[in-house]
Amino acid sequence: MAIIGPGITDEDYACGRATALDVFEERIKVWTLAFARDLAPREDSGIPVLLLAASVFEPMGGAILGGGKSEAKFCVAFVRIFPEIPGGTATAIAPIVCDLLRDGLFHEGFIKAGLILEYGKTPVESRGSAIVIDPRLFLDQVEEGFSKLCDEIRLATSDSETRKSFDSYWTKKLDDLGRYMKSRFHADVGTVATTTSTSGVMPSQTF
């Protein structure tokens, strides 16, 4: 038995005690955003808070689009969370933030030139040639936007585009994991857990 989400085991998922949305939502809320929230009040916490908060955009965008490339997923989630940005339009600023924030943090370990962190009154704004982000307000809006999306998916009917997109995204994740398992492990092994008993792999019967 392996843990695939906070308090959720592969057995819970396999027997229906936990749904795909439960796993998706709790992983991000408890394993990612809750730690960002704990860090936010601390001095000099801006970079780690943004590192955690920015990691939410791609899975969120994947759930909205049903899949897609990294930048497209990031941008669609960004526009949904920040539809109005002082000094510019969300659609124009989204790819810039993707480059300066996400690519900087995840590929270089720091934000790129052109992005300024500043505690003020606005989560994101375009100021001259720079993008200015308040990490704490940014986190507030990411948490709110992610919760709203999960609520919409939960309430959506099975034939709605909202639900179809999420189901498509989740199915692709399972397919990817299934191909990984089948190419690297014997079929009798089943779920593979890490030393922390946390697994990113779903039960073998879901493949």
Side-chain angles (χ1 to χ4, degrees):
M1 182 174 66
I3 296 171
I4 60 172
I8 302 172
T9 68
D10 54 352
E11 291 179 0
D12 293 329
Y13 182 81
C15 74
R17 286 193 298 267
T19 66
L21 181 59
D22 292 332
V23 178
F24 174 77
E25 182 175 21
E26 292 304 299
R27 281 177 174 176
I28 290 176
K29 283 188 173 181
V30 178
W31 281 348
T32 302
L33 292 175
F35 285 93
R37 176 57 55 197
D38 286 345
L39 288 169
R42 295 174 56 178
E43 187 177 0
D44 297 327
S45 64
I47 292 296
V49 166
L50 288 176
L51 186 63
L52 290 165
S55 71
V56 174
F57 286 87
E58 286 189 47
M60 186 174 169
I64 294 169
L65 296 174
K69 295 186 179 297
S70 292
E71 183 174 331
K73 291 187 290 186
F74 183 99
C75 289
V76 74
F78 181 88
V79 171
R80 181 187 172 95
I81 294 172
F82 302 102
E84 297 182 3
I85 297 177
T89 63
T91 52
I93 289 173
I96 300 173
V97 173
C98 183
D99 175 45
L100 301 183
L101 178 66
R102 187 205 67 169
D103 290 354
L105 289 176
F106 289 96
H107 299 311
E108 300 177 14
F110 195 67
I111 56 175
K112 292 186 178 181
L115 183 62
I116 298 170
L117 305 189
E118 178 181 281
Y119 294 106
K121 298 180 180 180
T122 306
V124 184
E125 68 175 285
S126 178
R127 188 186 300 167
S129 60
I131 303 297
V132 182
I133 292 179
D134 180 321
R136 292 169 185 153
L137 296 180
F138 188 91
L139 174 61
D140 290 343
Q141 208 150 326
V142 169
E143 287 180 316
E144 181 181 353
F146 181 73
S147 290
K148 285 182 177 179
L149 174 65
C150 290
D151 288 343
E152 286 181 20
I153 296 170
R154 186 175 293 106
L155 296 173
T157 59
S158 59
D159 60 347
S160 68
E161 289 304 314
T162 298
R163 189 73 214 195
K164 286 179 180 178
S165 292
F166 175 75
D167 290 343
S168 175
Y169 164 75
W170 194 255
T171 298
K172 288 172 184 175
K173 286 176 64 67
L174 291 182
D175 288 345
D176 289 343
L177 290 168
R179 283 193 293 272
Y180 175 84
M181 287 290 288
K182 289 177 180 178
S183 66
R184 291 166 174 79
F185 301 102
H186 191 277
D188 292 337
V189 172
T191 302
V192 175
T194 68
T195 55
T196 60
S197 298
T198 301
S199 177
V201 182
M202 291 299 182
S204 57
Q205 60 263 39
T206 64
F207 304 144

